[in-house]
Amino acid sequence: MTLRFRLNGRAVTVEAPPGRRLLDLLREDLGLTGTKEGCGEGECGACTVLVDGKPRLACLTAAIQVEGKDVLTIEGLASSGRLHPLQEAFIGTAGVQCGFCTPGLIMAAYALLQENPRPTRDEIREYLAGNLCRCTGYAQVAEAVELAAERLR
Amino acid sequence: MRRTGTVEIVHPRYLGEALCLVADGGRPLAGGTDLFVRVRRGTETAPCLVFVGELEELRGVRETETGIEIGAAETHAEILAHPATERFAVLRLALRAIGSPAIRAMGTLGGNLANASPAGDGLIPLYLHEARVRLVSIHGTRELAVEEFILGPGKTALRQGELVRSITVPFPRDGAQAYFRKVGRRQALIIAVASLGALVWADDGVIREARLALGSVAPTVVRPREVEGMLVNRPLTVKALTEFRDALSSAVRPISDLRASADYRRQVAGNLLLDLASG
Ligand SMILES: Cc1cc2nc3c(=O)[nH]c(=O)nc-3n(C[C@H](O)[C@H](O)[C@H](O)COP(=O)(O)OP(=O)(O)OC[C@H]3O[C@@H](n4cnc5c(N)ncnc54)[C@H](O)[C@@H]3O)c2cc1C
Ligand code: FES
Ligand code: FES
């Protein structure tokens, strides 16, 4: 099918079978490899993107489900050439180590700050509970989100 | 949705079209949080998936004279955010306990219901509120109580060609205290080892009516009606509830699996009851 949607603010048209995973569409067909595949079954959050402003797992989303929608990936956050405050904060607090979970974590954190610009530490932890990280403690991650929240206000 | 090869999915624009497609053997697809996991594992056998998540007729939350009607394709996040669900505290508590924010933004109440998992968090408030399920097919509509709809683990009364259209939830009598707790194996993405939801009406600390619903301790969510009856006219205190802990533990029929043994589940169910007095 011919699929039309908005990706990181730009209109895209791409040929894809309707059942193609959004994850494969992004990584393989559109060359946006920032979105990662961890478990492929909804458990790790590495593939988190925003669809119409809400968090979604690209591994459990079919191409057909984003038709006409607005998709935001990690590549869309720094599209002006400058890092987003969340990205800066993750680097600054050592919230990034191997970095595999980072795009998903940052997209989930981005969704959180859209919903709630002043989250408490518990709210941050709860919201990011679906994003697994094997390397960092969640303390650095929560700290990074708090820092970014302050800068964004 | 394996990495290579893709499932066939169709996206009908109208309910009538969708009903024809499911009558022909298509499998309804809403949020995909259960179905795509099955597709990936190779356990889903339907030749074609029919995306019903955006059908107008399956969407929205509507207040009626007697309660609310929730479209089957409403996501957990949408239901939580809807003002009409404010009077249904136990529904909100249970839906908030589902998965992660992304899972709640994708998964639907209709999908949770049709999935018929004994651990389905969304089912507990539906049992407590004695919700009804509205079904639709090319032949017409019918309505079932949620307890008639769910038949066993992964088994429902859905006939070939039927869709869940909506779920109706009657307003509870005023003054209900809502309670929901699930015990799981790890912090994130808890799949319940045992869960308990309750609606309790009490005057001056004395229970007048209690409804309990337990998850993950039997092939389906269960209402231990005998225990509910025993609680009437008893004080809502830990001391009084302790008397009924064993009754509740023996009212359930848990299985042992990778996550927990039957005995452990029985014990957790009993302990959750005591929590009612503090929660
Ligand atoms: C990581 C992860 C964590 C999870 N955590 C929880 C949790 O904590 N608690 C919990 O209860 N669940 C949990 N789930 C399970 C799942 O998210 C829920 O059951 C969700 O509500 C399913 O809804 P869906 O719209 O995604 O269903 P889908 O996957 O789209 O469909 C599920 C089933 O329902 C059928 N179906 C869907 N809509 C209809 C309809 N309108 N009429 C007829 N049949 C229909 C489908 O054919 C399919 O058989 C989790 C899943 C994942 C992947
Ligand atoms: S890859 Fe999607 S949640 Fe793990
Ligand atoms: S930084 Fe390595 S998994 Fe999170």
Side-chain angles (χ1 to χ4, degrees), chain A residues 23 36-48 57-60 130:
Chain A
L23 186 59
K36 303 295 183 218
E37 172 159 18
C39 64
E41 296 195 352
E43 300 278 348
C44 76
C47 64
T48 307
L57 303 172
C59 71
L60 298 181

Side-chain angles (χ1 to χ4, degrees), chain B residues 55-190:
Chain B
L55 290 175
E56 217 35 63
E57 293 87 345
L58 268 55
R59 309 267 318 154
V61 178
R62 209 164 58 83
E63 208 165 63
T64 66
E65 255 165 46
T66 52
I68 52 172
E69 180 172 7
I70 303 172
E74 283 290 288
T75 64
H76 305 306
E78 286 164 342
I79 298 168
L80 281 167
H82 200 288
T85 60
E86 208 180 317
R87 282 173 70 181
F88 298 85
V90 77
L91 176 69
R92 287 194 171 181
L93 289 172
L95 296 187
R96 226 175 264 140
I98 291 182
S100 60
I103 294 288
R104 291 195 290 277
M106 297 166 72
T108 65
L109 190 57
N112 201 255
L113 195 61
N115 209 43
S117 161
D121 290 309
L123 301 181
I124 287 186
L126 301 185
Y127 274 71
L128 291 171
H129 283 291
E130 297 174 356
R132 297 184 68 80
V133 186
R134 293 200 163 153
L135 304 174
V136 58
S137 73
I138 46 176
H139 305 298
T141 58
R142 60 183 185 124
E143 202 182 286
L144 294 174
V146 68
E147 281 176 79
E148 299 162 341
F149 178 79
I150 306 275
L151 301 178
K155 269 181 63 188
T156 67
L158 266 180
R159 296 181 188 140
Q160 157 100 53
E162 268 182 331
L163 285 177
V164 179
R165 180 178 184 149
S166 65
I167 297 115
T168 57
V169 194
F171 289 125
R173 252 185 320 106
D174 283 345
Q177 294 174 38
Y179 170 91
F180 180 86
R181 184 79 41 100
K182 79 170 155 176
V183 173
R185 230 191 34 171
R186 62 179 160 117
Q187 278 308 302
L189 305 185
I190 293 176

Side-chain angles (χ1 to χ4, degrees), chain B:
Chain B
M1 271 202 301
R2 295 174 173 273
R3 271 179 69 77
T4 51
T6 38
V7 274
E8 196 52 49
I9 305 184
V10 286
H11 185 180
R13 307 289 150 165
Y14 305 101
L15 179 62
E17 224 183 317
L19 292 175
C20 291
L21 290 160
V22 294
D24 285 342
R27 173 90 66 212
L29 162 70
T33 59
D34 281 313
L35 197 49
F36 284 144
V37 174
R38 296 210 294 269
V39 168
R40 184 179 159 92
R41 293 181 181 168
T43 55
E44 177 53 54
T45 50
C48 158
L49 310 184
V50 182
F51 181 45
V52 299
E54 286 170 12
L55 290 175
E56 217 35 63
E57 293 87 345
L58 268 55
R59 309 267 318 154
V61 178
R62 209 164 58 83
E63 208 165 63
T64 66
E65 255 165 46
T66 52
I68 52 172
E69 180 172 7
I70 303 172
E74 283 290 288
T75 64
H76 305 306
E78 286 164 342
I79 298 168
L80 281 167
H82 200 288
T85 60
E86 208 180 317
R87 282 173 70 181
F88 298 85
V90 77
L91 176 69
R92 287 194 171 181
L93 289 172
L95 296 187
R96 226 175 264 140
I98 291 182
S100 60
I103 294 288
R104 291 195 290 277
M106 297 166 72
T108 65
L109 190 57
N112 201 255
L113 195 61
N115 209 43
S117 161
D121 290 309
L123 301 181
I124 287 186
L126 301 185
Y127 274 71
L128 291 171
H129 283 291
E130 297 174 356
R132 297 184 68 80
V133 186
R134 293 200 163 153
L135 304 174
V136 58
S137 73
I138 46 176
H139 305 298
T141 58
R142 60 183 185 124
E143 202 182 286
L144 294 174
V146 68
E147 281 176 79
E148 299 162 341
F149 178 79
I150 306 275
L151 301 178
K155 269 181 63 188
T156 67
L158 266 180
R159 296 181 188 140
Q160 157 100 53
E162 268 182 331
L163 285 177
V164 179
R165 180 178 184 149
S166 65
I167 297 115
T168 57
V169 194
F171 289 125
R173 252 185 320 106
D174 283 345
Q177 294 174 38
Y179 170 91
F180 180 86
R181 184 79 41 100
K182 79 170 155 176
V183 173
R185 230 191 34 171
R186 62 179 160 117
Q187 278 308 302
L189 305 185
I190 293 176
I191 302 177
V193 159
S195 51
L196 173 69
L199 287 174
V200 176
W201 288 264
D203 295 328
D204 294 330
V206 177
I207 298 171
R208 296 302 173 202
E209 184 187 345
R211 295 185 191 175
L212 309 175
L214 288 147
S216 302
V217 293
T220 64
V221 168
V222 282
R223 288 271 305 269
R225 287 196 162 74
E226 251 176 59
V227 179
E228 291 180 358
M230 294 176 197
L231 293 175
V232 174
N233 295 328
R234 297 307 177 105
L236 183 51
T237 58
V238 173
K239 187 157 169 272
L241 292 176
T242 306
E243 256 183 78
F244 303 104
R245 173 166 52 178
D246 294 343
L248 190 70
S249 294
S250 49
V252 301
R253 292 176 295 142
I255 52 154
S256 293
D257 66 10
L258 285 177
R259 282 180 276 130
S261 72
D263 276 345
Y264 176 65
R265 288 200 150 96
R266 206 173 273 127
Q267 196 187 330
V268 171
N271 289 341
L272 281 170
L273 182 68
L274 305 190
D275 230 39
L276 272 184
S278 41

